[in-house]
Amino acid sequence: MLLRSAEVSSLKSLGVYFLLELKVERPFESTPGQFAMVEVPGRTLMRPFSIFEVEGPYVRFLVKEKGKGTQELKRIRPGVKLKALCPLGKGFPLPEEGTKPILLAGGVGIAGLFQLAKELRRRFFQVQLLWGERGASWFPFTIVSYLLRLGVDLTLCSEDGSIGLKGLLTDLLPPFGEKNVLYACGPKEMLEALMVRVPSGVKLYLGLEERMACGVGACLSCVLQTPSGTKRVCVDGPVFERGELL
Ligand SMILES: Cc1cc2nc3c(=O)[nH]c(=O)nc-3n(C[C@H](O)[C@H](O)[C@H](O)COP(=O)(O)OP(=O)(O)OC[C@H]3O[C@@H](n4cnc5c(N)ncnc54)[C@H](O)[C@@H]3O)c2cc1C
Ligand code: FES
């Protein structure tokens, strides 16, 4: 059963983000890139969030406030009981030995790549991670310092130049070739730009965000037309290899 009872164990504000931690009744294992549908008190539809981190019964989500649902979640207090469907979808396949992964995170896209960075470092891969935000204050210090301690080769990109490299992440890509595997999570425009800019010989995995109502393949609210037919992002993705989409 994917439906789990959970209790909010903490909620920490991290600048423009907040970290929601749930304690679930039945712990589970997840693949980096998988997601959960999380109940929002008072709302009929659950909301999809990447599984940022799992430690025993504790599951964490890095959330950016967007509309009513995420505003409601930001006000939630420890002790509140809610339901979550998890783990859902297909995550990122790990790279073959000898390849060099490059992770590309646009904004809250870091939430979908954080577990991957941890797993790759655990397997002794050299990990290059570019993370783009609007400006310095958007980067949660605790996450940046954690990634650095993990040994990730981290490049921060800011649109206003207040930290790291100035500009859009898609204009600041490092040199790469067929020995690299690229993993990207971020806004639609960023993923579309990457599909154009990254040559077809280079493996590129994309974590997509589509509006989702059920998260389990039943409602068809997340369908995507691809050359190989209709895909439901919640069950056929959210991670797709670029070739599946073109
Ligand atoms: C697989 C997946 C992983 C995601 N991971 C994260 C994450 O880790 N952190 C994070 O902050 N956000 C993440 N999102 C986006 C997040 O789900 C939306 O920002 C959130 O649902 C907005 O809800 P709302 O009620 O605040 O906004 P509203 O705009 O009021 O939402 C109205 C409805 O539209 C849906 N919706 C709105 N925007 C999105 C969106 N971008 N993607 C999917 N559904 C949307 C909502 O679920 C809701 O049903 C993810 C989305 C998907 C599909
Ligand atoms: S969200 Fe219902 S089918 Fe994908």
Side-chain angles (χ1 to χ4, degrees):
M1 261 302 280
L2 295 168
L3 186 65
R4 288 161 210 279
S5 298
E7 183 176 314
V8 176
S9 44
S10 75
L11 189 137
K12 287 185 196 134
S13 175
L14 295 176
V16 296
Y17 299 113
F18 61 93
L19 193 66
L20 171 69
E21 184 186 79
L22 303 182
K23 186 176 183 193
V24 291
E25 261 178 16
R26 287 176 297 110
F28 61 91
E29 288 189 359
S30 70
T31 307
Q34 285 190 298
F35 69 102
M37 295 295 287
V38 178
E39 181 188 353
V40 179
R43 309 256 148 207
T44 318
L45 292 180
M46 291 175 151
R47 301 296 195 262
F49 298 108
S50 300
I51 297 171
F52 179 73
E53 204 172 24
V54 185
E55 268 175 6
Y58 296 98
V59 189
R60 299 185 190 104
F61 303 97
L62 183 72
V63 181
K64 180 153 177 281
E65 205 176 311
K66 184 164 187 260
K68 294 267 163 54
T70 42
Q71 279 162 15
E72 197 61 47
L73 277 180
K74 199 177 178 179
R75 284 197 290 269
I76 213 164
R77 288 291 160 254
V80 171
K81 293 196 181 339
L82 40 78
K83 302 274 185 216
L85 275 169
C86 51
L88 299 176
K90 292 187 185 145
F92 292 106
L94 293 175
E96 286 172 20
E97 258 180 56
T99 52
K100 287 193 176 166
I102 301 179
L103 279 48
L104 304 168
V108 75
I110 190 68
L113 294 172
F114 186 77
Q115 278 217 108
L116 179 64
K118 280 177 72 174
E119 183 58 23
L120 291 170
R121 288 300 295 140
R122 200 178 68 78
R123 291 167 184 259
F124 304 108
F125 278 94
Q126 284 175 32
V127 178
Q128 211 177 343
L129 167 56
L130 269 80
W131 180 2
E133 290 283 6
R134 290 202 191 150
S137 63
W138 288 61
F139 291 98
F141 175 75
T142 45
I143 298 178
V144 170
S145 57
Y146 185 93
L147 289 167
L148 292 173
R149 282 200 309 278
L150 204 59
V152 168
D153 174 5
L154 179 65
T155 303
L156 304 182
C157 311
S158 58
E159 287 174 37
D160 63 6
S162 53
I163 195 167
L165 303 180
K166 181 175 181 178
L168 290 174
L169 181 149
T170 41
D171 296 328
L172 299 166
L173 297 177
F176 55 82
E178 292 182 11
K179 277 265 173 209
N180 295 111
V181 183
L182 272 55
Y183 296 91
C185 262
K188 204 171 185 175
E189 306 75 49
M190 170 186 139
L191 301 184
E192 283 170 356
L194 288 173
M195 283 169 68
V196 174
R197 286 179 199 193
V198 176
S200 54
V202 179
K203 266 237 173 329
L204 169 63
Y205 292 101
L206 305 150
L208 303 192
E209 273 189 23
E210 279 297 328
R211 285 185 175 255
M212 289 182 183
C214 74
V216 292
C219 72
L220 305 185
S221 68
C222 65
V223 292
L224 203 65
Q225 300 305 328
T226 74
S228 52
T230 303
K231 304 276 183 196
R232 290 163 300 170
V233 175
C234 63
V235 287
D236 300 317
V239 172
F240 292 91
E241 204 269 309
R242 178 248 308 267
E244 295 176 80
L245 303 175
L246 284 176

